[in-house]
Amino acid sequence: MNFDFKEEELIIKPYKNDESIYVRLQRGLFYNIRKYSGAFMMLLFVLIPWIPYKGEQAILLDVANQQFRIFAITFFPQDLTVLAALFMVGAFALFFFTTWLGRVWCGFMCPQTIWMFLYIWVEEKIEGNRNQRIRGDKQELDSAKFRKKTLKHAAWLLISFLTATTFMSYFIPVKTLYLELFTLEWSALVYFWVGFFTLCTYGNAGWLREKMCIYMCPYSRFQSAMFDKNTLLVAYDKARGENRGMRKRKDDHKAKGLGDCVDCNLCVEVCPVGIDIRNGLQYECISCAACIDACDQTMERFNYPKGLISFTSENALIGKKASIFRPKIAAYAMLTLTMFVLMGFFIATRTPIEASILRDRNVLYRTTFDGSIENSYQLKLTNKLQQTERFLLIIDGEEPITMSLTKPVTAEALEMVVVPFTLTAPPELLPEGVSSLNITITSLDSDQVNITKEVKFYAG
Ligand code: SF4
Ligand code: SF4
């Protein structure tokens, strides 16, 4: 056996060689779809924090106050079941679309892809097309190269800063955030998070790019488990394309034993993850369809039918009929729907207040000057509604007990109030020991609130 390995052969590399990928921007049908879907997603991202609702920001993740406001509903940490259901709806919907349409999310809607293509576009505008960029990077650093590189990184950083600030407007009321930006009144914490997200965006879209998708994104790791032979994916039609080879436009390539692939290498040059789709299906492929646009352009030039690389499925490639009505898809659709209904049910049945009544643990009971028995309690009430409410506490039944709280308790929108009160009973009317009482909390302003709490009354 030969154990005479060279040193570099003994190094196991967890990552591919870190070669720079110079992406050629390719226009075409899918470029336009990606451009408009990306613009739509960006517009949503920027505009959502500006949507008003009853004079407040409609969607706000108020981390400082532990509240998540979405139009008329405000979620608190206690509403974890709703958030869990929401995540499950998202997860099953993602499984459903992945099984059906493959990685369209990655190629057309994922922020990583949208920002990556935006950064590549900026790079091309400043440093030139792919060939100019390759040449430029090989050149010695002179003033022109320095100027271009500085301008590119400044533009990337500016986009990153705007992205980070917009992202923060989901956590801090948007008007306050921008007002304090222009008056330089941001707190150290806001500066920290904006700086952090600026660096994340700049690093991800400017430097890491495809490495983020290949090595870090969990979705790219488990999406293949959802694929089946009918899942839509970007694939090269090997039967039609091979044997690949260069030729002149007017050549009869079939007579030369050549397939339709003219080996122009454009599909590789436009690929943002740096793969050659002609080598078969690869997990790195994000289904951005840039190679389809590139190949279609070549096919047009050579007067061949388009679609040598296309959105297709493994079954369609071997001539089998692809159906979208498959048990796996139906199961994911059912699960998505079920979780959606469950989430709706949780939202519809959640109480719009959070209330607890705690006994004063220091004293079991007190005897007042006229011999009555008195117990002390503390009401803790959170009004989850987005308007001020008045709450009335009433003892259920015909108990001979009086409550010190005779007036309604007022709690402003999303406010938590703590109110101490006492219950008093003439001793002759209560049995000795512990009695259980029910206290109902009712809102005087809306008919949505009516909850009952049990309390213990000690009389000896
Ligand atoms: S192979 Fe094609 S679809 Fe896949 S990532 Fe590369 S360019 Fe995009
Ligand atoms: S773009 Fe099309 S023709 Fe050109 S190398 Fe790729 S598959 Fe072949």
Side-chain angles (χ1 to χ4, degrees):
M1 225 182 248
N2 177 20
F3 290 103
D4 189 17
F5 294 112
K6 289 179 194 155
E7 197 183 333
E8 60 270 24
E9 285 173 343
L10 292 171
I11 300 170
I12 298 165
K13 290 184 178 170
Y15 307 111
K16 283 185 189 174
N17 285 338
D18 188 20
E19 289 162 12
S20 299
I21 298 172
Y22 293 89
V23 182
R24 180 193 287 271
L25 260 195
Q26 175 64 50
R27 289 174 213 285
L29 172 69
F30 291 104
Y31 169 86
N32 284 336
I33 295 175
R34 214 173 37 247
K35 187 169 82 176
Y36 291 119
S37 62
F40 175 70
M41 295 294 279
M42 270 190 180
L43 211 65
L44 273 188
F45 173 60
V46 173
L47 292 183
I48 281 176
W50 291 97
I51 301 172
Y53 181 77
K54 290 189 176 171
E56 300 278 348
Q57 191 167 322
I59 295 173
L60 183 69
L61 280 154
D62 189 349
V63 179
N65 294 310
Q66 301 190 349
Q67 297 165 5
F68 172 29
R69 189 186 310 150
I70 172 159
F71 290 89
I73 308 170
T74 304
F75 295 103
F76 287 79
Q78 298 89 326
D79 298 313
L80 219 63
T81 37
V82 180
L83 284 182
L86 180 69
F87 281 123
M88 286 173 87
V89 170
F92 285 125
L94 194 67
F95 296 167
F96 168 74
F97 283 111
T98 306
T99 310
W100 178 24
L101 300 173
R103 293 184 72 176
V104 281
W105 163 264
C106 298
F108 294 87
M109 314 288 260
C110 175
Q112 174 70 17
T113 309
I114 295 170
W115 261 253
M116 176 174 72
F117 275 107
L118 174 67
Y119 278 45
I120 293 171
W121 178 81
V122 170
E123 190 170 52
E124 183 161 298
K125 287 285 163 224
I126 297 171
E127 291 187 4
N129 63 28
R130 180 176 184 270
N131 293 340
Q132 289 167 323
R133 297 203 302 276
I134 294 173
R135 266 202 313 276
D137 278 358
K138 283 183 186 153
Q139 274 172 12
E140 288 290 312
L141 186 68
D142 58 11
S143 61
K145 182 172 173 179
F146 180 75
R147 207 178 49 247
K148 280 184 187 172
K149 291 278 178 202
T150 310
L151 190 61
K152 177 181 86 174
H153 289 288
W156 280 1
L157 277 167
L158 178 66
I159 298 171
S160 304
F161 173 75
L162 294 175
T163 305
T165 309
T166 307
F167 186 60
M168 286 303 286
S169 63
Y170 284 79
F171 300 90
I172 298 171
V174 68
K175 287 179 191 155
T176 313
L177 183 75
Y178 283 101
L179 192 73
E180 288 182 357
L181 165 66
F182 293 117
T183 53
L184 300 178
E185 285 174 25
W186 276 359
S187 67
L189 200 66
V190 176
Y191 276 116
F192 169 79
W193 284 114
V194 170
F196 176 76
F197 289 123
T198 300
L199 286 181
C200 285
T201 313
Y202 173 71
N204 280 347
W207 293 92
L208 287 174
R209 291 189 181 173
E210 80 289 347
K211 291 176 192 69
M212 189 73 194
C213 310
I214 297 172
Y215 302 117
M216 290 173 229
C217 175
Y219 174 53
S220 78
R221 295 276 152 186
F222 68 73
Q223 43 92 22
S224 57
M226 287 164 251
F227 276 29
D228 59 28
K229 291 198 179 305
N230 289 314
T231 300
L232 210 62
L233 37 83
V234 174
Y236 165 71
D237 187 347
K238 203 168 181 177
R240 185 186 143 192
E242 302 297 316
N243 296 319
R244 69 185 79 158
M246 294 192 182
R247 78 282 316 259
K248 293 205 177 82
R249 263 192 248 182
K250 288 192 181 133
D251 283 354
D252 180 357
H253 62 290
K254 293 215 168 108
K256 288 184 169 177
L258 291 173
D260 280 358
C261 174
V262 305
D263 211 9
C264 63
N265 211 40
L266 269 184
C267 52
V268 181
E269 291 179 8
V270 299
C271 179
V273 297
I275 58 170
D276 186 342
I277 193 71
R278 293 171 300 171
N279 295 338
L281 306 176
Q282 290 146 79
Y283 79 94
E284 294 97 333
C285 175
I286 57 168
S287 288
C288 68
C291 54
I292 301 182
D293 281 338
C295 192
D296 279 352
Q297 180 190 297
T298 302
M299 294 296 107
E300 224 171 11
R301 265 211 337 266
F302 279 79
N303 232 350
Y304 300 162
K306 289 180 182 177
L308 178 56
I309 302 176
S310 64
F311 266 113
T312 180
S313 68
E314 278 187 70
N315 269 346
L317 270 179
I318 53 169
K320 280 194 185 169
K321 202 168 171 283
S323 162
I324 69 158
F325 301 105
R326 313 193 293 270
K328 211 164 156 185
I329 289 194
Y332 285 140
M334 282 301 295
L335 283 168
T336 309
L337 206 68
T338 309
M339 287 319 300
F340 193 75
V341 171
L342 262 180
M343 189 182 74
F345 175 76
F346 286 146
I347 291 175
T349 55
R350 73 194 263 282
T351 47
I353 66 163
E354 212 51 61
S356 64
I357 299 175
L358 297 175
R359 279 192 79 255
D360 181 354
R361 290 185 195 279
N362 296 322
V363 194
L364 204 55
Y365 63 91
R366 261 189 307 271
T367 309
T368 59
F369 66 95
D370 63 352
S372 297
I373 305 292
E374 185 183 89
N375 283 206
S376 302
Y377 302 85
Q378 194 180 58
L379 166 74
K380 217 182 235 181
L381 190 148
T382 306
N383 175 15
K384 296 199 237 170
L385 294 162
Q386 291 180 4
Q387 67 269 349
T388 302
E389 296 274 328
R390 291 166 303 144
F391 299 98
L392 199 61
L393 273 70
I394 302 163
I395 302 166
D396 290 359
E398 300 290 312
E399 304 288 353
I401 296 179
T402 50
M403 189 189 292
S404 63
L405 256 185
T406 47
K407 287 189 186 150
V409 174
T410 304
E412 287 181 17
L414 311 177
E415 189 194 15
M416 187 182 84
V417 290
V418 179
V419 186
F421 69 95
T422 56
L423 295 180
T424 312
E428 69 278 6
L429 293 178
L430 270 180
E432 278 209 354
V434 191
S435 317
S436 289
L437 310 169
N438 284 331
I439 296 180
T440 299
I441 305 168
T442 318
S443 169
L444 296 179
D445 301 296
S446 64
D447 53 5
Q448 304 172 51
V449 183
N450 199 340
I451 60 169
T452 302
K453 293 278 164 191
E454 190 187 289
V455 296
K456 300 280 183 213
F457 188 91
Y458 286 79

